[in-house]
Amino acid sequence: MQPTSPNSHLPRPFHLLLFLCGALWIAAAQGLSTRAAEGLTIRFNLSIFYDLVQQLFFLFLLLWGFATIHWISTRQATTVRNTNALPSRPTSRQEFLRGAALGWGMLLAAVIPMMFRGSLHPEFNLSLSNFAFALLSLLTIAVSTLALEVAFRGFLFAEFIAATGPVFATLFLALAYTTVASFHPGSTLLSTLITFFFAILFSIAYLQTRALWVGWGIHFAWSAAATILFGLPIAGADAYNNLIVTSVTGPEWLTGGPYGPQAAFFTFVVLIIAILVLYRITSQYAWDYTYHPPTAAGYPMDIAPPAAHTAMENAAAAAPAPLVQILSTTPTASSTNPIIEDHLNREAGPTG
């Protein structure tokens, strides 16, 4: 079982302090990763790799930064993966794949109404260079979605849960996540509401498993399917795919407009259903990784037996063991052999 926080033995105010330190580190890591990516890609004329390099730096700084904060606060050695809710366990791959299946199903369910309405108009540019760019975009999405999960649902989330409880921590960080997303181009009131429920979904995935594998799977599959397979923008960004470019027509409440499916009404309906499905597919993980047996809370759980019963047990233990009579093995019935019968009679001697 995974603890709620890697520093669960610390007092609540200290958890809050660690949360604030983690939040400041996220802002610092974002700035450092942006500068590092700009310097490398400009120096070596690799601007096409800018997004990937920036996200790799960001993820690296988050993982090691949170691990360093944990070590400074506890002076206890632990792995970077465990500190950031990425434990190595037998079900890790299965958790990610289940999350990815759910994310893919969510995206497909959200896009089907657009298909029936005839709102999607894809254009295919099937060249070798575009295939290579699509693979690069897929890798970038994988890294960026993991970085977001580590930032909002990893060490930071665990510390805030330990400081304030799971309900308040979930709502607060969902609001923070939504606030960041509201600055994306094309954001609307509906997209803001949907983003909030996406954050709730990802948080539930963590709370059910105490790991990021399921949430990362959902996040990655939704984003990758939207942009790579359908050529739609994700959260207002449309520069991930040159292989399939899809223009949309129709009302924005149906298509999401330039923001993508995350601003479409049917996505909100899909999210409500997805939360219920998520509970179902993670129920066994919740039992395996989050169940804690009840404790006595300071009260004795073993009730002493009555005094009379104890006295009877003591008397029985002090009494000598009863004698056990062992019967003779000599047969009492007459033998069927006359010679043996005569021999037994002589051995017994006269009676009376």
Side-chain angles (χ1 to χ4, degrees):
M1 290 181 290
Q2 299 296 321
T4 301
S5 164
N7 309 315
S8 55
H9 63 284
L10 299 174
R12 287 186 174 228
F14 204 85
H15 285 291
L16 183 59
L17 178 61
L18 292 177
F19 168 78
L20 295 175
C21 290
L24 291 175
W25 177 245
I26 290 176
Q30 181 68 33
L32 290 172
S33 62
T34 299
R35 288 192 176 186
E38 289 175 350
L40 284 175
T41 54
I42 292 174
R43 179 185 179 111
F44 296 101
N45 195 24
L46 296 172
S47 59
I48 191 174
F49 294 100
Y50 170 78
D51 288 335
L52 176 59
V53 172
Q54 192 270 334
Q55 291 298 325
L56 282 172
F57 270 115
F58 185 49
L59 177 61
F60 175 83
L61 291 172
L62 288 179
L63 293 174
W64 283 96
F66 290 148
T68 302
I69 293 173
H70 167 262
W71 182 83
I72 292 173
S73 63
T74 64
R75 295 303 173 98
Q76 295 178 357
T78 185
T79 64
V80 173
R81 291 177 61 171
N82 285 340
T83 303
N84 292 280
L86 293 169
S88 177
R89 58 197 191 194
T91 59
S92 298
R93 181 172 178 272
Q94 183 187 70
E95 291 172 50
F96 176 81
L97 291 177
R98 286 193 179 188
L102 179 58
W104 158 248
M106 290 168 56
L107 189 279
L108 188 62
V111 169
I112 282 177
M114 306 179 200
M115 294 180 176
F116 282 130
R117 173 69 166 67
S119 298
L120 302 182
H121 309 283
E123 295 181 5
F124 299 92
N125 302 312
L126 305 180
S127 65
L128 185 61
S129 60
N130 285 337
F131 270 107
F133 184 76
L135 290 176
L136 176 63
S137 297
L138 191 65
L139 183 57
T140 303
I141 291 170
V143 176
S144 63
T145 51
L146 178 57
L148 280 174
E149 291 306 304
V150 169
F152 285 94
R153 261 78 61 177
F155 175 84
L156 206 67
F157 191 30
E159 293 300 329
F160 207 46
I161 289 173
T164 64
V167 175
F168 183 82
T170 298
L171 295 176
F172 183 86
L173 284 179
L175 285 172
Y177 183 79
T178 304
T179 301
V180 172
S182 67
F183 291 99
H184 293 168
S187 176
T188 64
L189 180 61
L190 183 57
S191 73
T192 301
L193 178 64
I194 290 173
T195 300
F196 177 80
F197 276 89
F198 259 112
I200 297 294
L201 180 74
F202 298 143
S203 297
I204 291 174
Y206 169 81
L207 292 171
Q208 285 285 94
T209 62
R210 289 299 188 268
L212 299 180
W213 301 119
V214 175
W216 180 30
I218 298 172
H219 205 157
F220 167 72
W222 169 276
S223 301
T227 187
I228 304 299
L229 295 182
F230 288 95
L232 296 170
I234 48 172
D238 58 357
Y240 282 108
N241 190 7
N242 290 334
L243 194 65
I244 304 172
V245 179
T246 301
S247 57
V248 295
T249 57
E252 284 197 9
W253 66 265
L254 175 67
T255 65
Y259 197 82
Q262 283 176 250
F265 172 75
F266 282 102
T267 300
F268 177 75
V269 178
V270 168
L271 270 172
I272 302 302
I273 299 172
I275 290 175
L276 302 177
V277 174
L278 178 64
Y279 269 106
R280 178 66 182 86
I281 67 175
T282 59
S283 58
Q284 184 59 47
Y285 304 137
W287 175 261
D288 292 339
Y289 302 122
T290 69
Y291 172 74
H292 296 276
T295 57
Y299 296 96
M301 297 296 288
D302 297 328
I303 302 175
H309 182 77
T310 303
M312 292 173 60
E313 287 186 337
N314 293 337
L323 295 176
V324 179
Q325 183 179 2
I326 301 176
L327 297 177
S328 172
T329 59
T330 304
T332 57
S334 299
S335 173
T336 57
N337 192 322
I339 298 174
I340 296 176
E341 182 72 24
D342 183 61
H343 174 73
L344 292 174
N345 290 334
R346 287 199 304 270
E347 288 289 332
T351 60

